[in-house]
Amino acid sequence: MPAPRNSLRGFLAHAKSALRAAVDSSQKITFVIGNESADLDSMTCSVLYAYIRSMAPPPSAFSPLYVPITNIPFSGIQIRPEFLALFRHADIEPRHLITLDDLPDLSVIKSKLRPENTSWILVDHNAFQGQLGKIYSERVGGVIDHHEDESKVPQDTGCEPHVIVKTGSCTSLVTEYCRQAWDSLSSAGIDSGTAHGQGDTLSDDDTVVNLWDAQLAQLGLASILIDTANLQSEDKTTEHDSKAVEYLEAKIRTCPQLSAGFNRSNFYKEINSAKKDIGGLKLQDILRKDYKQWNEQGQRLGISSVVKSIDFMQRKAGDEANTQSLDKAYIEALHRFSKDRDLDLYAVMTTSTSSEGEFRRELLVLAFNDSAISAAKKFAADAQEELRLEDWLSSDGIAHGQSGDGYWTKVWWQRNVQHSRKRVAPLLREAMN
Ligand SMILES: [Mn+2]
């Protein structure tokens, strides 16, 4: 049976308790899971897909309920101020989001959530990483993604999608895939028995459904706007993104209550400035806020994306360590972060705007053993031209390919600013092979 038409808040509460019941009674269940960085895009992809599919499951669905999992512990929500800003527009609170903490503990998950009882739809990634990936990657039943295809998901995914297309935002692809089902839900009202078309006035039920649609549309819209800089980034914006924005804006307009005060640019600015408002976070939290990890040839690579400059992080590190030697404090903080995760190779990518308003990227690479050091040097040579890497200098000379006790580090300006982690990660991984 499909889930009842509901608000986002109502749906998430329903999904959370249904997840508990499914675990307790070993029922089949389908998860929709975003990637481990758990950025806004991953979160909204999984929520949007799970919401629409649970209310309109295909006849041969593995299970009628689709549970959206945000791929972080609950505590990770607090270091994502853009989530909190967006939740207000979608009328949900952090406690509604379903996170890793809602799954059985890793030590018992295999027996409590038997792989054969699960199906996993990957959104915003196409290779199931991490501890969950180790246990459940054989159970991947569908994918919608905009990263490089790692050819891990089988071609035949039955009634679930197999969509891997380069776009600014993966949420655009989810929106595109769900359009028809969503439109049917919108016109069906609260249940199929609802009366329709009574003159030109909206019935109360229509008003409620339009509000729910508009809240969900804002949730999806936020990611697309963040990922495409309000559709202004020519490098990132594709036809899929602009069409999805058009579609979601139309959903918002059906709700006079929300559309009256809605302005796309203001909405983008609000979510974007919340995303950049990380001054109150600890440096370790800034580094783990948008973080991804890979295993390559027995070596472990981690990459943090940060929306502030290295300079900002160095000052933060200096403040936290109460020292004047900012470079040293910063490098120590990076060592600590890498050690906690047992990394062989660690990279930090930053985005910032210069005082002249120019969009900039920095790239820092830190290697911790001989083979990681040779991979890092190979990367530097191979990627130099494509990324247009240029030496970055600081007071302590951190940029000079410094070697310390068994480590090597270097910082560059990445002058080709169109390349995000989506491109830099594959280049680093290639160099490790
Ligand atoms: Mn994405």
Side-chain angles (χ1 to χ4, degrees), residues 154-170:
Q155 278 307 317
D156 182 10
T157 46
C159 65
E160 298 296 350
H162 190 296
V163 176
I164 301 178
V165 179
K166 292 272 164 70
T167 51
S169 182
C170 188

Side-chain angles (χ1 to χ4, degrees), residues 376-394:
K377 288 181 176 167
K378 184 171 188 311
F379 162 82
D382 294 352
Q384 177 97 38
E385 204 177 295
E386 182 179 352
L387 300 178
R388 288 181 45 218
L389 300 177
E390 208 172 89
D391 278 0
W392 182 102
L393 303 170
S394 87

